[in-house]
Structure formats: C-alpha cells, structure tokens
Amino acid sequence: MTSSVLDLAPVMPVVVLEDAADAVPLARALVAGGLPAIEVTLRTAAALDAIRAIAAEVPDAVVGAGTVITARNVSDTVAAGARFLVSPGWTDVLLDAMKASGVPFLPGVSTTSEVVALLERGVTDMKFFPAEAAGGTAYLKALSAPLPQARFCPTGGVSLASAPSYLALPNVGCVGGSWMVPGDAVAARDWSRVERLAAEAAALRG
C-alpha cells in the first residue's frame, strides 16, 4: 500500500451492503473503474462477511471498514481482512485501539480542537465528517493555513459535482462518497453501471 490511504485514489467509495453476496462483484466493478480503496460500512449485518469476501477474492481491492466506533469493531474488522479503518469520530479508547491494530486509520473530526488533539497524538490523516454539514470546502480551506500538516478525506454529502472543489484543496487527499454505488444499481446488480460511475469518479483528479 502507499504511505497513506488518502493517496490510493481521488475518491473512496463508501459502501453499504445488505447482502454479502454482492460484495465481490461490486468490489471488482469499483476496482475496474479505478477506485481500489473501498470503505465497507458496519451499518448492516452483512458488513463483516462482505469485508471477508472482498479481502479473499478481490486482491486488487484495498478493503477498509467504516463506521468503526468501538475497540471490538476494530478487532473484528481487522480479523475479517480490513486493510484500513475509518471512524465518524474518535475517543481516546477508540484511537488507542486503531493505533494498536497495525493498519492505517482515518479518525473522524469536525472541529479544529479535534484536529489539534489528533496532531498531538501523532495522527495527521483524518476523515472530515460530516463534510458538507460541518462547513465544507470553506472550513477545510480555513484549516489549511494554521494546520498544514493535517490531511483529510471529506465524507458526508460530497457529490460528483462538489468533489472537484474539495480535491483542489492542498489538505485534501481524497473524498469519500457513495454516488458511484447508488442503491438502485446495487439492488439491480448493475455492475457495469457501477464501473462507469467509478471511472467517472476516478478521473476527477487526472
């Protein structure tokens, strides 16, 4: 893997899977479209099986776990094959568990104080969530001058239309979004559509 999960691709798909059987074809479509880093959220009962399947069967995918909020989530997802972790926020307990996991992680922040607290702990790669609700590009641009060492993956309300303005910021490594995995396409198992949308997203940073 590269030195940072933020550098794998301009967009990180945020995937919610109700059926683990969809995990492998979905991941293959995303990788084929140019988006290898895939965040599978722990919002469904199928999530761990989905991570396990992608890790085992799609070697070109870098599968990660999202909505990681407990130390148990950390251990369960890493055991399933997650190669990075993403949390919507963080506590000292959660941060310690993520640090001890041995895999890269993106703890979630939405305030300047949270960013400074993570920098104190030696963490420079972060998720900015919920991006649009928390101030969007204007907020991140304001952070870049006093806190240039912090880098972000903004997630939450980011779209194909708004992604380029985030990616143009010096402190944004990638954005997270779900627009390339629309629910109707997944339900219909229209993997060619997912691949097309992924390719469109991958081209945002040429």
Side-chain angles (χ1 to χ4, degrees), residues 1-2 22 25 30 34 46 48 58 62 93 99 108 123-124 134 136 157 159 178 201:
M1 199 184 312
T2 66
D22 293 332
L30 291 170
L48 282 176
V58 192
V62 180
V93 170
K99 277 192 162 188
V123 178
T124 57
S159 66
S178 56

Side-chain angles (χ1 to χ4, degrees), residues 2 4-13 30 33-38 62 151-153 167 172-176 198 201-205:
T2 66
S4 170
V5 69
L6 296 178
D7 299 322
L8 288 170
V11 179
M12 183 186 296
L30 291 170
L35 300 180
I38 303 168
V62 180
R151 296 180 72 224
F152 301 95
C153 174
L167 292 169
V172 170
C174 66
V175 299
L204 287 174
R205 180 179 281 156

Side-chain angles (χ1 to χ4, degrees), residues 81-125:
R83 293 171 60 187
F84 65 92
L85 306 169
V86 184
S87 69
W90 66 277
T91 64
D92 287 330
V93 170
L94 180 59
L95 188 67
D96 287 344
M98 290 195 292
K99 277 192 162 188
S101 71
V103 301
F105 56 92
L106 298 174
V109 296
S110 60
T111 69
T112 308
S113 295
E114 291 169 325
V115 175
V116 172
L118 283 177
L119 291 174
E120 275 187 359
R121 299 284 297 269
V123 178
T124 57
D125 291 355

Side-chain angles (χ1 to χ4, degrees), residues 158-189:
V158 180
S159 66
L160 177 65
S162 63
S165 58
Y166 281 100
L167 292 169
L169 297 174
N171 55 350
V172 170
C174 66
V175 299
S178 56
W179 74 85
M180 75 298 301
V181 285
D184 58 342
V186 175
R189 295 180 166 85

Side-chain angles (χ1 to χ4, degrees), residues 15-21 23-24 40-56 63-68 70-82 84-85:
V15 174
V16 180
L17 283 168
E18 300 291 344
D19 186 345
V24 167
V40 177
T41 68
L42 299 182
R43 299 180 199 173
T44 68
L48 282 176
D49 284 339
I51 291 169
R52 202 171 283 116
I54 294 170
V63 63
T67 326
V68 172
T70 67
R72 176 70 182 271
N73 289 159
V74 172
S75 57
D76 285 351
T77 54
V78 172
F84 65 92
L85 306 169

